């Protein structure tokens, strides 16, 4: 009888702990507000390394429009839009618009291979520890932020862009 009571109390305790954990998870998911980086916000500053090992700081680009793109080599939509970004970069880089393509936590070899295969000339940055990805709350990729000359986010784009889209976005942030 005594063992039966102990088992019952143990099982009841475990059940209550599990119910509390589920309730807490649901509460966090549905009733707490995540702070997302969105249009109208100041772009969070960051420093990342480019493929040559140079440090690139977002705030150093004040006065220029910045097309900030988060991507991965395995992402087909990312791969599809890269040639469009390259084409428009060539047209807009001398007009005060910079592209920063932030790769999310991949190896240098994978990134270098991708960059060479697509002939990319704009700065490709490495977010090895995902700190910038988390600061910008990136969930789907590709995701791009259009940042004006004052460092204010004008638009957030998720999903694949056409070349015409990229051109229109570059025009939007041209100083």
């Amino acid at each position: 009888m005594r063992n039966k009571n102990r088992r019952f109390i143990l099982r009841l305790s475990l059940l209550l702990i599990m119910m509390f954990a589920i309730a807490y998870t649901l509460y966090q998911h549905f009733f707490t507000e995540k702070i997302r980086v969105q249009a109208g916000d100041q772009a969070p500053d960051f420093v990342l390394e480019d493929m040559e090992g140079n440090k690139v700081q977002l705030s150093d680009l004040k006065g220029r429009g910045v097309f900030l793109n988060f991507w991965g080599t395995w992402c087909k939509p990312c791969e599809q839009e890269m040639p469009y970004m390259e084409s428009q970069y060539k047209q807009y880089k001398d007009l005060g618009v910079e592209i920063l393509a932030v790769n999310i936590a991949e190896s240098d070899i994978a990134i270098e291979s991708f960059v060479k295969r697509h002939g990319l000339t704009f700065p490709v940055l490495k977010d090895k520890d995902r700190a910038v990805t988390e600061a910008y709350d990136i969930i789907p990729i590709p995701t791009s932020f259009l940042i004006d000359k004052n460092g204010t986010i004008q638009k957030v784009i998720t999903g694949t862009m056409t070349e015409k889209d990229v051109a229109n976005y570059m025009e939007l942030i041209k100083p």
Side-chain angles (χ1 to χ4, degrees), residues 108-127:
D108 287 0
I109 293 170
I111 301 168
E112 286 170 11
S113 172
F114 186 94
V115 168
K116 285 179 186 170
R117 186 169 63 247
H118 294 284
L120 304 179
T121 60
F122 50 78
V124 174
L125 309 179
K126 303 178 288 186
D127 188 14

Side-chain angles (χ1 to χ4, degrees), residues 52-64:
E52 289 77 41
N54 302 310
K55 301 279 186 203
V56 176
Q57 185 162 3
L58 180 63
S59 59
D60 289 346
L61 298 173
K62 274 223 169 132
R64 298 178 61 84

Side-chain angles (χ1 to χ4, degrees), residues 2-169:
R2 198 169 201 191
N3 279 342
K4 212 176 201 182
N5 283 343
R6 282 186 185 165
R7 279 193 305 242
F8 174 76
I9 290 172
L10 180 62
R11 288 177 183 162
L12 183 61
S13 298
L14 289 174
L15 179 63
L16 289 172
I17 290 170
M18 288 186 344
M19 286 175 51
F20 175 77
I22 291 169
Y24 180 76
T25 301
L26 290 173
Y27 172 79
Q28 287 288 84
H29 182 73
F30 291 110
F31 297 107
T32 59
E33 186 176 328
K34 275 194 168 185
I35 300 171
R36 299 188 68 98
V37 177
Q38 55 194 345
D41 293 346
Q42 278 297 115
D45 197 18
F46 61 83
V47 177
L48 288 175
E49 234 178 60
D50 67 13
M51 296 306 294
E52 289 77 41
N54 302 310
K55 301 279 186 203
V56 176
Q57 185 162 3
L58 180 63
S59 59
D60 289 346
L61 298 173
K62 274 223 169 132
R64 298 178 61 84
V66 178
F67 188 101
L68 179 63
N69 177 264
F70 289 83
W71 67 283
T73 61
W74 50 268
C75 166
K76 291 300 175 193
C78 301
E79 187 169 14
Q80 185 180 350
E81 69 188 15
M82 285 293 177
Y84 308 146
M85 290 167 51
E86 178 63 28
S87 171
Q88 294 306 311
Y89 177 68
K90 288 176 181 173
Q91 294 183 34
Y92 281 88
K93 68 180 179 179
D94 294 331
L95 299 175
V97 179
E98 187 65 67
I99 289 181
L100 298 179
V102 178
N103 178 271
I104 302 171
E106 292 188 89
S107 73
D108 287 0
I109 293 170
I111 301 168
E112 286 170 11
S113 172
F114 186 94
V115 168
K116 285 179 186 170
R117 186 169 63 247
H118 294 284
L120 304 179
T121 60
F122 50 78
V124 174
L125 309 179
K126 303 178 288 186
D127 188 14
K128 294 291 186 190
D129 62 0
R130 298 177 185 253
V132 177
T133 302
E134 289 175 17
Y136 278 80
D137 197 23
I138 303 301
I139 297 194
I141 59 171
T143 294
S144 298
F145 293 81
L146 305 179
I147 304 168
D148 70 15
K149 65 181 181 178
N150 301 313
T152 303
I153 298 170
Q154 294 300 309
K155 189 169 181 68
V156 180
I157 302 108
T158 56
T160 310
M161 296 174 278
T162 65
E163 185 156 6
K164 185 176 181 180
D165 292 335
V166 175
N168 289 338
Y169 296 147

